[in-house]
Amino acid sequence: MENFARLLKESWALVEEHRDRLSEHFYARMFLLDPSLRQLFPVQMAGQGNRILEAIVTATQTVDDPESFDEYLRALGRDHRKYHVDAAHYETMGVALLDALGGIARDAWNLEYDQAWREAYQAITAKMLAGAEADENPPYWHAEVLTHERRGPDTAVLTVRALQHPLPYRAGQYVSLEVPRYHPRVWRTYSVANAPNDDNVLEFHVRTPEGAGWVSGALVRRTRPGDLLRLAAPMGSMTLDTASTRDILCVAGGVGLAPIKALVEELTKVNRTRWVHIFYGARRAEDLYALLGLQKLVETHPWLSVTPACSEDPDFDGEQGDISEVVTRYGPWTSHDCYVSGSTRMVRAALRALAEDGVPPQHIRYDTFGTV
């Protein structure tokens, strides 16, 4: 396994700097092999269209962690049901992938690399297909928008109700979401911002800064109550360790608060002995869009504390600095279960701070809007 993983990582280094060319080669070859596959993807392929390729590449980097490898791939297979991908499609994708890798790496590509990727892809698709076949839920859920509330110029909080079938998820997980009215076949992941409930209602926090994707823009600026969305199978492992008795640290940046809020809601139902500390950061005070709701939770749950911070607002009457820096001022956190959610930069900084604090990696769970 060690040599197998080495070959995959070593060969990926040959093409990693040419991801755009790899993507173009992969999709061009795939659509040439099977033109019917084109209808599974959005009209504009840039960014959104690359998700299947990115998922496959990410999966190959987990082969030296069998437990995560299995769990991740089965969940990925369930999620990809929303694309209507079947075994024949995966076979075509495999041919296109090997062709693209060899075409980009050229003379540096060898038989060992080719065989390693071939075996890895077979293992990946076998587990993904097994996960898909074992899932008794629909490929996706239709959901009606119930409420839509703007929280500033670029942020919205909306609630939706999944129709026909309950959507089973755990607090801290995320789902892929499509706005078919405006951007059909374009999916983006969002954390669910509330704990599961009997009404089958899910809450989402969406921010669309300058340059953000189409789905976020549609959800913030164009979506209204009564609109229909599509939600795919839940994914993610940033869930509560129910066997743990350790106190809890939560670090959230911006709309990364969403899964943290869901975790806290879950804890309000079961927690009796664990102290929970939330550190909630943003650039400016007006970006702390959910602070009032958190403070109301503090009033009714004495085991909960909230520390807000701003990194670019000198007039803010609270902690100043990046949230990762603020967290270190209140440490150590070595005896806590730690949950981190936010932008890629924020999550990287927080993970680095917790590592320097000596928090064991197995006590840290994180979610990020990007790649860490």
Side-chain angles (χ1 to χ4, degrees):
M1 177 63 75
E2 182 178 344
N3 184 57
F4 184 57
R6 178 188 63 79
L7 287 171
L8 290 171
K9 294 179 188 298
E10 189 177 285
S11 55
W12 175 244
L14 299 174
V15 300
E16 187 172 14
E17 294 182 0
H18 310 288
R19 293 173 87 108
D20 289 342
R21 286 174 54 209
L22 179 70
S23 177
E24 291 172 4
H25 193 139
F26 170 74
Y27 286 105
R29 180 61 172 157
M30 184 171 66
F31 297 151
L32 182 63
L33 290 168
D34 185 355
S36 68
L37 276 170
R38 184 62 183 87
Q39 65 186 354
L40 304 183
F41 294 85
V43 175
Q44 296 292 333
M45 289 290 294
Q48 292 289 340
N50 291 340
R51 292 191 182 277
I52 284 184
L53 177 60
E54 291 289 341
I56 291 170
V57 170
T58 300
T60 64
Q61 309 306 308
T62 68
V63 295
D64 51 355
D65 185 355
E67 184 176 344
S68 296
F69 183 60
D70 186 79
E71 180 182 348
Y72 172 78
L73 291 177
R74 289 178 182 274
L76 195 62
R78 292 191 294 271
D79 177 68
H80 279 187
R81 293 178 64 214
K82 68 177 183 275
Y83 297 115
H84 302 289
V85 179
D86 59 26
H89 294 148
Y90 280 123
E91 185 174 343
T92 302
M93 289 179 192
V95 174
L97 176 64
L98 268 294
D99 189 78
L101 290 166
I104 299 301
R106 301 179 69 84
D107 293 342
W109 198 254
N110 59 40
L111 287 175
E112 277 193 308
Y113 295 156
D114 191 84
Q115 187 60 32
W117 277 85
R118 198 175 300 275
E119 292 178 11
Y121 186 78
Q122 289 174 352
I124 287 168
T125 54
K127 292 179 182 296
M128 290 176 67
L129 286 167
E133 291 170 4
D135 189 6
E136 297 180 354
N137 290 307
Y140 51 77
W141 287 256
H142 295 282
E144 180 184 3
V145 177
L146 301 178
T147 64
H148 184 283
E149 180 183 352
R150 292 292 289 267
R151 300 284 183 90
D154 59 7
T155 304
V157 173
L158 56 152
T159 60
V160 307
R161 176 178 286 116
L163 306 175
Q164 297 175 311
H165 303 279
L167 195 159
Y169 70 95
R170 295 181 61 191
Q173 289 191 303
Y174 59 89
V175 301
S176 293
L177 193 152
E178 179 197 22
V179 190
R181 179 178 179 183
Y182 301 113
H183 300 296
R185 303 192 300 280
V186 180
W187 297 80
R188 193 186 186 286
T189 56
Y190 298 93
S191 294
V192 184
N194 62 306
N197 56 76
D198 293 337
D199 295 328
N200 207 27
V201 171
L202 293 82
E203 178 181 318
F204 295 100
H205 299 180
V206 184
R207 183 169 181 259
T208 176
E210 186 177 352
W214 301 327
V215 179
S216 293
L219 288 172
V220 171
R221 300 189 180 99
R222 305 173 74 179
T223 300
R224 297 291 181 268
D227 286 352
L228 290 180
L229 310 177
R230 290 178 180 150
L231 311 177
M235 297 181 68
S237 57
M238 203 184 84
T239 54
L240 287 174
D241 181 356
T242 55
S244 174
T245 58
R246 290 181 291 272
D247 293 336
I248 295 173
L249 165 68
C250 297
V251 187
V255 291
L257 180 70
I260 301 299
K261 176 178 174 291
L263 291 170
V264 172
E265 282 191 12
E266 186 73 12
L267 283 163
T268 62
K269 303 174 185 177
V270 299
N271 186 41
R272 297 292 182 273
T273 60
R274 306 170 74 180
W275 294 97
V276 180
H277 311 274
I278 298 177
F279 286 79
Y280 176 31
R283 292 182 179 180
R284 299 168 297 275
E286 57 265 29
D287 296 328
L288 296 169
Y289 66 95
L291 182 57
L292 183 60
L294 289 176
Q295 290 171 336
K296 289 182 178 179
L297 284 173
V298 171
E299 293 173 0
T300 54
H301 301 286
W303 43 262
L304 177 65
S305 70
V306 176
T307 302
C310 287
S311 59
E312 299 178 10
D313 190 343
D315 296 326
F316 177 63
D317 185 20
E319 291 287 349
Q320 296 283 339
D322 288 340
I323 197 64
S324 58
E325 299 170 354
V326 175
V327 167
T328 60
R329 300 172 197 164
Y330 286 78
W333 304 104
T334 51
S335 61
H336 288 66
D337 285 339
C338 302
Y339 296 83
V340 184
S341 177
S343 69
T344 301
R345 185 186 68 83
M346 174 260 157
V347 171
R348 279 203 191 106
L351 294 179
R352 189 179 305 114
L354 293 174
E356 291 173 354
D357 194 35
V359 178
Q362 64 269 27
H363 293 171
I364 302 174
R365 301 186 183 191
Y366 63 89
D367 190 12
T368 178
F369 310 122
T371 302
V372 175

